[in-house]
Amino acid sequence: MEDAGESTRGCENISDSEEDRCSENDFGTSKLGTKEFWDDAYQKELETFNDIGDVGEIWFGEESMSRVLRWMDKAKIPENAAILDIGTGNGAFLVELAKHGYKNLTGIDYSPASVELARSVLQAEKLTDVTVKEMDFLSCPKELKGFDVCIDKGTFDAISLNPVNTNEGKRQYVQALKDVLKDNGFFAITSCNWTKEQLLDRFSEGFEFVQELSTPTFQFGGKTGNSVAALIFKRVH
């Protein structure tokens, strides 16, 4: 059964058939792919945090962060590695990374309410050396580069659901990722909308597959599957 701590809010059903796995239109668009939805969601979470100190929902649950942190430990990612949290949301992962000892952290999000919330959460944790920027990853400036590790926990999912320029957005994401990562830098992605096979296809150019992280499984109709895919890639030329 699925781990109860593995939240899949924002996930949409996708086709499981072999011929659909690598197509440009794997599932329908949704309001979950719009900036307006996230502006509204994070504005509400910001107001809640200001009222009662609740940081809001942790995307995919706490285990999704622990899973990546365990991989970083095993991969011996140094504490001074430049790490980018793509679509930082409430900044919860930045908090965990900082508490884990990482010292060169940057989070970006295109929602101003998200950025304000993340900064407030970090300040409440007395983590003043973490950088959070209001920025759209698909059109990030050239100076955003040189990262050793990029982490995505649902942002590529949301981009894939955007009703406007969906396919172009996915291509822009891959190019932006190539631009911000150092050679041999790592990319950790957690997705509930894409299968392992689809992610391998999407990030086949300019990236090398490193490993799949263990995620909760479920059984249906005599078959076993994963509700979430978590993969590690390395930037190569």
Side-chain angles (χ1 to χ4, degrees):
M1 296 295 290
E2 181 179 333
D3 183 344
E6 193 81 21
S7 168
T8 53
R9 184 186 75 170
C11 298
E12 298 287 338
N13 292 330
I14 60 175
S15 169
D16 218 12
S17 63
E18 195 69 37
E19 64 267 25
D20 286 343
R21 278 186 171 167
C22 299
S23 70
E24 284 291 331
N25 298 297
D26 300 273
F27 40 81
T29 59
S30 165
K31 65 180 181 180
L32 296 169
T34 66
K35 184 174 183 296
E36 292 76 16
F37 175 87
W38 295 110
D39 282 339
D40 181 63
Y42 284 118
Q43 183 60 44
K44 291 175 181 175
E45 291 195 1
L46 176 61
E47 292 169 2
T48 300
F49 179 77
N50 290 336
D51 287 342
I52 62 174
D54 185 350
V55 302
E57 185 168 350
I58 297 174
W59 193 262
F60 293 116
E62 292 184 4
E63 171 57 24
S64 65
M65 298 187 292
S66 299
R67 182 185 302 125
V68 175
L69 287 168
R70 288 194 297 269
W71 166 77
M72 293 173 74
D73 287 341
K74 291 180 181 178
K76 294 181 169 55
I77 304 297
E79 289 184 351
N80 63 348
I83 299 173
L84 178 65
D85 186 19
I86 304 169
T88 196
N90 58 14
F93 209 161
L94 292 174
V95 170
E96 293 306 309
L97 287 162
K99 289 182 175 180
H100 212 71
Y102 293 104
K103 305 180 186 307
N104 188 1
L105 302 173
T106 301
I108 62 170
D109 205 294
Y110 67 179
S111 169
S114 158
V115 171
E116 185 177 351
L117 174 60
R119 287 172 176 167
S120 297
V121 170
L122 288 161
Q123 185 177 14
E125 295 284 347
K126 296 181 171 54
L127 299 171
T128 58
D129 294 331
V130 179
T131 300
V132 182
K133 298 181 179 181
E134 182 184 334
M135 187 178 296
D136 186 344
F137 186 63
L138 300 187
S139 55
C140 56
K142 297 295 183 183
E143 59 264 26
L144 191 76
K145 61 181 180 180
F147 288 95
D148 298 292
V149 180
C150 288
I151 298 171
D152 180 322
K153 208 158 53 67
T155 297
F156 185 64
D157 283 352
I159 288 170
S160 303
L161 294 171
N162 192 334
V164 181
N165 297 325
T166 309
N167 295 332
E168 180 60 23
K170 287 182 281 191
R171 285 188 284 268
Q172 286 178 313
Y173 181 99
V174 175
Q175 185 57 54
L177 187 63
K178 291 178 181 178
D179 292 342
V180 301
L181 266 178
K182 289 180 180 178
D183 289 347
N184 297 314
F186 292 102
F187 171 52
I189 181 169
T190 302
S191 170
C192 61
N193 278 342
W194 298 92
T195 65
K196 173 186 176 181
E197 290 76 13
Q198 289 170 317
L199 291 172
L200 289 173
D201 181 72
R202 177 63 59 183
F203 298 98
S204 60
E205 295 184 10
F207 300 92
E208 177 183 287
F209 174 61
V210 176
Q211 72 178 91
E212 180 179 14
L213 305 184
S214 178
T215 61
T217 61
F218 64 90
Q219 289 188 333
F220 183 78
K223 295 183 178 180
T224 300
N226 294 79
S227 56
V228 173
L231 305 183
I232 307 296
F233 292 89
K234 183 167 70 173
R235 177 77 171 100
V236 296
H237 283 285

